[in-house]
Amino acid sequence: MSATRIRPERQGGSGMKVLVIGGGPAGSTAATAMAQAGLDVRLIESAHFPRYHVGESLTPSCRVVLDAIGLSKIVDDYGFVKKNGGVIHWDDDQWAFDWYQQAGVQSWQVDRSEFDALLLEHARQNGVAVTTGVTGRSVRFADGRPVAVECSPEHGEPFTVDDFDFLVDATGRNGLLSARHFGNRQPLSNLRNVGIWGYWTGARLLPETPTGGINIISSPEGWYWVIPMAGGRMSIGYVTTKDAFARDRHEHPSSDDLYRHLIAVSPTIAGLTEGAEFLGTTRVETDYSYIADQFCGPGYAIVGDAACFLDPLLSTGVHLALYSALTAAACVASMNRGEVSETEALKFFEFAYRRAYMRLFALVTIMYERYLGKDGFFLTSDRLIGEEQQVRADEDVSSRSFAEIIGGLSDLREAADSSTRVITDQLRSEALRAQLRVVEAPGSEGPDFTPVRGNPLSDAESADYRLVTGPRLGLERIRAVRP
């Protein structure tokens, strides 16, 4: 998908009224894109920005989405570290990926408190009515559609919002609809991990790292990230299983003590932090991989972490947030203009978002299997985008597909060009095969990865639509309505 700037249609809109709950990257992006498409958008957010959040390493797909809503130059000029790619040391294998060299695109390493505030302010500047300090507590449905949201302000009496035509749930891990209303969000049994991290000054990156790149370094029971931040800081974290973390935590009096131990036991990380200064509090987060049974329904769409989240191994969180937000906004904009029906639009949203998640899930799980080696990762990546490599014995397997997937670029390409979409059965097969290899419970298959459970959209039907950002955002019908 090219980075075509969305043409604002009208501000303060006479179009459909949309309520967005949550002002993180998914909520702010969806709200901005819909407002630029002429919809009347209101956003409520429980926190006051800026506020801390992890998830600092962004993929090139994020630039494409921010280009579309007119924010990428602002982010460029803000002073975040520009990220060209990264280096992975995984068991006995080492490889680099450089998106700027391969595709001419950069992303960023951001302080999420500042990045998220930029996104929310951009929503305000584009006509979104933003209110912070208000929490959406529950959603009331009538005839299968959301009709009211019960809200609690930070100060004052609870109130109800009921003047909306469409609801976008961007409430993150809280999951107002998926976790609290429907109760249909499932943890991924093979990715029940814990992350522990902190910030340093004076630390270094691996010498072969592309400009501004991330380092991912495996250990016997997990892996480390090293992310360069503005001001000479470095975010350094470690991810391991719940059981390993509990065992190690029991042996150390505090999280800070455990964190310093984990830094010291890795020769590579110890070398990168030699002479560096630890800047303070250690942070811990647990159980953060899950997927909901459905991402949308009549009158609503669930975007970003509210629908699903994946282990941070490939830095996919903000990609999935922005990709789902732009796709949802395109679908709602086309619904508003009468170009597609709500049923058609929501089927496409579910189809596109679940496919993106399935592909990344399969690749992350394959990497955690560890024994395949980098060639196995690369060949799996080829299958996940439908491009099998023909490799001679004297040739190395190319990392191109791997880099495209972890950059989020394959998802954007498929959304914009149906002819490039890998067959859904192939995606599902790779995801299920990866899941079954590592699920330990006898007879368990983990979550069902049917791409659009409840609202099946076949590959043939998906080819009827594509996502466009220019000259205006929408879901373009390629073929006539099917009988």
Side-chain angles (χ1 to χ4, degrees), residues 146-164:
V147 295
V149 176
E150 307 299 332
C151 300
S152 295
E154 190 175 42
H155 305 290
E157 295 297 318
F159 62 91
T160 300
V161 178
D162 58 8
D163 59 339
F164 59 87

Side-chain angles (χ1 to χ4, degrees), residues 52 54 56 195-201 203 224-227 229 233-238 255-256 259-260 263 273 277-284:
Y52 178 80
V54 73
E56 299 138 337
I196 181 169
W197 71 95
Y199 297 88
W200 299 70
T201 184
Y224 296 85
W225 77 70
V226 185
I227 299 172
M229 309 288 289
R233 293 167 297 124
M234 204 78 76
S235 171
I236 301 179
Y238 178 69
S255 294
D256 279 358
Y259 178 68
R260 288 184 174 277
I263 296 295
T273 56
E277 178 187 356
F278 179 51
L279 294 177
T281 306
T282 298
R283 298 176 181 270
V284 177

